[in-house]
């Protein structure tokens, strides 16, 4: 009897003994694993820095202005946004009402909506939930860490001007999209550059620009749309839970597995789940920012004062106000992607017969993304007061600065932010994988094997991005994203008269009553 | 007495309408006929993609256990464990439909898909091939196809739903001849 009781007890505690033994053994294994991963991280980081340095230097070729080095590419984007703003007669300010009416469905027959049709409002919320991401969280953290509070002012300005660039490229994205008999839509700069310029008798130039854009789009996909996301997701885990940075490879493998199942397998369910969760994550992020701002409402005034003052004095920023301006413009572009051309790929899938309506709806994105949400993040960082001069990026930066600033108000925010960052990173990687795939198939043709090569490459870069150090990733991500704008904007200059014609025609048809208006109340 | 009561109510079934809103971007099943039974066999790749979630989920739960028992990091353990449980549960829910066999049995005279009420084979009057475009919020859209059946009582039930058009056409023909019913190609041009 006694023996039996002992046996039962032994059986009962056996799993616990086994668990204790296995976890101790696991601890030793993990220690060795940590060292191996650390050495791998360093070698990958070194390799990456060596082999992408030339590309980064080429894209960010700078000219000295005062104490600062002004990257020509930043000027290129700024001038383009200014030109589009003037050329379209300040469309982002004058036609906001029209854009809101389109979203409200004033020009859409409520009875003509087909099953499954995406309304402009849905398209906007969709695009916004896709736009709110690490650019708003980590990007603002970087901008303020290097550019000081003044960088926020230039981000806002860039957001306002960028609205015109986005209007132009998204209109063209729909106008020159290609719809296959199966219903699959292929659109974006590759198509409007080649077809649009061909119509103007510049087929050769169009082809060159389209190929150049597609090449840069692939690099940006692997950089900004992939490595940056994975890198910052792990950085967030490191901040929130003290996960050693060398374990980035584990984060990378987990993320890559999930991304692989979606992009290679095309699993509908995980994509649907992500689609449903991401808007809530965006709402959660905005809600947290509002709580911080409202609970420190007395500091909002001084925060705005420091933004305006920092924008023109550049106090504590390397290169003074030019330094603040550079950081503001760079990070705003990284966040709202205006002028880059990526949004045109996404917007080309909308169901509409009027390309300009999608352009008008899309111009609201940089406003909400950069002017509203990035400013909210900046206010949270400034209010927290953790980002102090000199702004040389040696202190807290990126997602860590933003997370630390949120945590100043409530400790629980770091966990919620970790959740949001991982979801944002995942959904952004999925979105960009399709942009990259479209560019890849444009260059190498459609086919199962060529597409599979890209998808596997993409997943490998997820692991790389989570493993290597921040500096190398962000430099490469920036360079690749900005490089897309070189080819895109050249084409936009040639094609902007077509957009203007579309806009004028649409407005004229509304005025003449050809386009009917419907009661939206 | 109401005048309308004497009128025969006419109901039109739109055979061009798809039954499911979503669909996978891969070949999920193939139709196989063995004697008196026709059934849908899930593809290995489809199963593997579901297994990924289960493996990742279990891995995260193991890491959470390690964090909890060895490092006593309660917050990270909860975070990892939560993710692990969610991903693993998701994987299990994904793989479940693949494990239950959808069959047309001529011996019992019944179609069983383990979801809808069983249908007598003699009541199946036609099969329809439908197409749709799946629109993703965070990805580009893609074409997807359905094979649906229609009963003489007007019920429509989905049989196949994937994006391999060629395989679906072959399977429709195979099942159509097995059941001895016509296959209607109800694909339509979708204007985006």
């Amino acid at each position: 009897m006694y023996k039996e009781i002992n046996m039962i007890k032994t059986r009962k505690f056996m799993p616990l003994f086994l668990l204790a033994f296995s976890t101790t053994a696991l601890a030793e294994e993990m220690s060795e694993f940590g060292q191996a991963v650390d050495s791998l991280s360093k070698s990958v980081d070194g390799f990456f820095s060596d082999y992408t340095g030339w590309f980064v230097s080429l894209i960010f070729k700078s000219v000295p202005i005062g104490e600062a080095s002004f990257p020509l590419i930043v000027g290129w984007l700024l001038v383009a946004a200014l030109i589009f703003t003037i050329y379209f007669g300040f469309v982002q300010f004058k036609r906001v009402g029209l854009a809101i009416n389109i979203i409200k469905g004033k020009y859409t027959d409520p009875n003509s909506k087909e099953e499954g049709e995406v309304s402009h409002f849905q398209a906007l919320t969709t695009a916004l939930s896709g736009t709110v991401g690490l650019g708003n969280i980590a990007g603002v953290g970087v901008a303020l860490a290097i550019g000081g509070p003044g960088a926020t002012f230039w981000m806002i300005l860039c957001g306002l001007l960028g609205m015109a660039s986005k209007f132009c490229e998204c209109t063209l994205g729909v106008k020159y999209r290609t719809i296959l008999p199966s219903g699959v839509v292929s659109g974006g700069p590759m198509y409007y550059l080649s077809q649009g310029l061909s119509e103007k008798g510049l087929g050769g130039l169009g082809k060159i620009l389209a190929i150049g854009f597609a090449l840069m789009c692939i690099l940006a996909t692997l950089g900004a749309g992939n490595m940056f996301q994975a890198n910052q997701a792990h950085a967030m885990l490191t901040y929130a839970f003290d996960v050693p940075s060398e374990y980035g490879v584990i984060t990378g493998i987990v993320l890559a597995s999930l991304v692989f199942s979606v992009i290679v397998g095309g699993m509908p369910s995980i994509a649907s789940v992500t689609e449903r969760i991401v808007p809530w994550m965006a709402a959660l992020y905005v809600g947290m920012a509002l709580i911080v701002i409202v609970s420190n409402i007395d500091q909002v005034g001084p925060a705005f004062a420091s933004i305006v003052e920092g924008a023109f004095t550049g106090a504590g920023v390397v290169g003074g106000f030019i330094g603040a301006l550079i950081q503001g413009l760079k990070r705003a572009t990284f966040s709202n992607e205006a002028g880059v051309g990526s949004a045109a790929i996404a917007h080309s899938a909308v169901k509409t017969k009027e390309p300009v309506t999608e352009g008008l709806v899309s111009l609201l994105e940089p406003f909400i993304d950069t002017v509203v949400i990035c400013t909210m993040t900046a206010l949270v960082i400034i209010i927290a007061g953790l980002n102090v001069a000199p702004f040389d990026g040696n202190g807290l930066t990126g997602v860590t600065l933003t997370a630390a600033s949120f945590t100043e108000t409530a400790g629980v925010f770091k966990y919620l932010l970790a959740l949001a960052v991982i979801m944002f990173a995942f959904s952004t990687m999925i979105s960009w994988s399709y942009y990259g795939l479209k560019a890849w198939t444009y260059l190498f043709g459609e086919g199962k094997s060529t597409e599979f090569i890209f998808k596997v490459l993409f997943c490998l870069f997820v692991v790389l991005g989570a493993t290597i150090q921040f500096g190398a990733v962000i430099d490469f991500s920036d360079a690749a994203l900005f490089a897309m704008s070189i080819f895109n904007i050249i084409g936009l200059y040639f094609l902007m008269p077509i957009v203007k014609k579309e806009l004028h025609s649409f407005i004229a048809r509304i005025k003449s009553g050809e386009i009917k208006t419907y009661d939206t109340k | 007495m109401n005048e309308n009561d004497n009128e025969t109510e006419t109901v039109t079934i739109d055979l061009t309408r798809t039954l499911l809103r979503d669909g996978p971007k891969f070949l999920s099943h193939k139709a196989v006929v063995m004697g008196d039974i026709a059934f849908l066999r899930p593809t290995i790749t489809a199963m593997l993609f579901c297994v990924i979630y289960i493996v990742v989920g279990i891995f995260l739960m193991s890491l959470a256990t390690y964090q909890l028992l060895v490092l006593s990091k309660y917050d990270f353990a909860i975070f990892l464990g939560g993710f692990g449980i969610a991903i693993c549960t998701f994987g299990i829910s994904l793989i479940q439909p693949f494990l239950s066999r959808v069959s047309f049995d001529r011996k019992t005279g019944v179609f069983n898909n383990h979801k809808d009420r069983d249908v007598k084979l003699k009541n199946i009057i036609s099969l329809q091939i439908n197409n749709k475009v799946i629109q993703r919020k965070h990805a580009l859209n893609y074409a997807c196809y359905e094979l649906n059946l229609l009963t003489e009582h007007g019920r429509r039930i989905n049989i196949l739903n994937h994006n391999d058009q060629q395989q679906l056409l072959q399977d429709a023909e195979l099942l159509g001849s097995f059941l001895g019913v016509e296959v209607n190609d109800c694909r339509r041009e979708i204007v985006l």
Side-chain angles (χ1 to χ4, degrees), chain A residues 261-322:
Chain A
S261 74
V262 175
I263 66 170
V264 179
M267 274 290 174
S269 317
I270 187 75
S272 307
V273 169
T274 313
E275 282 165 10
R276 286 194 193 110
I277 292 174
V278 166
W280 288 104
M281 289 295 125
L284 175 76
Y285 181 73
V286 172
M288 286 194 299
L290 280 174
I291 290 170
V292 175
I293 292 165
V294 171
S295 59
N296 296 283
I297 197 77
D298 55 319
Q299 292 181 48
V300 173
F304 270 115
S306 71
I307 288 171
V308 176
E309 193 192 330
F312 297 101
T313 62
V317 179
V318 178
F321 97 93
I322 295 286

Side-chain angles (χ1 to χ4, degrees), chain B residues 90-108:
Chain B
F90 185 73
I92 292 167
S93 72
L94 274 183
I95 207 164
Q96 263 177 343
F98 290 104
L99 300 177
S100 52
R101 179 181 276 197
V102 176
S103 62
F104 298 84
D105 193 336
R106 274 203 292 232
K107 278 183 186 163
T108 56

